[in-house]
Amino acid sequence: MTMRKLLAVFSAALILGGAVGSVPAGASGASPPSCPRGLLFCEDFERLPPGGPSTLNWGVDTRHGTLTVERAHRGNQVLHIQTVDNGRAFLRVDDFAAPGNRFYGRMRLRVDAFPTAPDWAHFTLVEATGTGSAEVVRPVGGQYAPTVPGTFWGVGADGGPTGDWTNWRESAPVVEDAWQCFEWKIDAADNRVAVWIDGVANPELTASTSDHGGNDVPFVLPTVDTVKIGWQLYQGGTTPGEFDLWIDDIALSSKRLGC
């Protein structure tokens, strides 16, 4: 066989092997983008420089607290939130508007440690406010209950007719130093709040017009125009004295996104 024929056979084999045995880049095993089009808001921190937040897509609300974009052990970038005592540090989404005042939220979360003092210390990680109602809605938050004892997740609110309440539930104990996925729903229909943890709904982590943890008056959602995501603890003299948590893959959507 001449050299020209050998080269022709070899080239044909390469072409056939490429057509049959190879997979085009990105055609298999590629994870979907964490910020697809069509979301009401999304932040995965991958396009931000490390360090203090540098973006026009969201604002910052802090008191005795900091927000820092940093690289996690798995190689992606996350938002590191640190507060001292009863400080706060929030990523703030302003000028928010959800069709029909109904939306879902999602975030991945790891909290280093939760409060074990003072008694009844309560904290918020997600807060929604707006017009038409003075209620400050807290779909993701919790409280230390010395009577159990333990620290538990609970839906809550403040500032409106229902008063200041956190409806913590023993069916939802907190988990320290582990990544979890939290989802929540805020729906003007029956003023409903619902929560999922790692994709599983907890029927006790809910609120509605007549079923909530506050005063015996109707619970009415505001028309939400601001959503804050981060950490705030309301009582001083805490144990531990500082709080660290990491948040990633934040999304707000008109449809449930899942984990």
Side-chain angles (χ1 to χ4, degrees):
M1 184 179 292
T2 66
M3 181 62 69
R4 180 175 295 178
K5 289 183 177 180
L6 282 172
L7 289 173
V9 171
F10 182 68
S11 299
L14 284 177
I15 294 171
L16 182 61
V20 175
S22 65
V23 178
S28 177
S31 58
S34 56
C35 284
R37 292 183 179 180
L39 300 182
L40 302 174
F41 173 82
C42 189
E43 180 60 85
D44 62 6
F45 307 103
E46 294 302 323
R47 294 174 178 83
L48 299 183
S54 178
T55 177
L56 297 178
N57 294 330
W58 45 271
V60 171
D61 177 8
T62 63
R63 175 185 173 275
H64 302 312
T66 60
L67 304 175
T68 307
V69 176
E70 63 183 36
R71 192 159 298 280
H73 292 303
R74 54 181 177 167
N76 60 308
Q77 293 200 151
V78 299
L79 184 66
H80 180 191
I81 298 170
Q82 185 175 56
T83 63
V84 176
D85 199 45
N86 60 341
R88 70 174 183 268
F90 284 110
L91 172 159
R92 179 178 173 128
V93 183
D94 292 308
D95 301 320
F96 178 76
N101 200 30
R102 176 181 184 270
F103 69 96
Y104 294 81
R106 183 203 65 203
M107 65 178 174
R108 305 188 197 281
L109 168 73
R110 179 167 73 91
V111 181
D112 183 53
F114 289 89
T116 56
D119 289 351
W120 306 110
H122 74 284
F123 50 89
T124 297
L125 286 87
V126 178
E127 183 177 283
T129 55
T131 61
S133 171
E135 298 284 4
V136 178
V137 183
R138 298 166 176 165
V140 182
Q143 190 160 26
Y144 171 65
T147 53
V148 178
T151 307
F152 306 95
W153 296 109
V155 173
D158 194 7
T162 60
D164 182 4
W165 52 276
T166 302
N167 195 17
W168 57 271
R169 312 304 295 175
E170 289 187 51
S171 63
V174 300
V175 177
E176 295 183 340
D177 199 26
W179 282 100
Q180 292 183 287
C181 177
F182 276 75
E183 300 171 86
W184 63 93
K185 174 185 178 182
I186 292 180
D187 190 350
D190 197 25
N191 298 291
R192 182 163 296 278
V193 178
V195 176
W196 295 257
I197 301 177
D198 290 332
V200 179
N202 185 326
E204 292 194 312
L205 295 180
T206 58
S208 63
T209 305
S210 58
D211 185 9
H212 53 81
N215 299 327
D216 190 16
V217 295
F219 174 59
V220 179
L221 293 172
T223 300
V224 177
D225 59 22
T226 302
V227 179
K228 298 198 298 185
I229 298 171
W231 176 270
Q232 181 170 6
L233 199 150
Y234 301 94
Q235 293 80 15
T238 60
T239 300
E242 297 182 358
F243 297 91
D244 287 272
L245 59 150
W246 294 262
I247 293 178
D248 196 10
D249 295 336
I250 298 171
L252 304 175
S253 173
S254 57
K255 298 179 180 179
R256 187 183 168 202
L257 296 170
C259 291

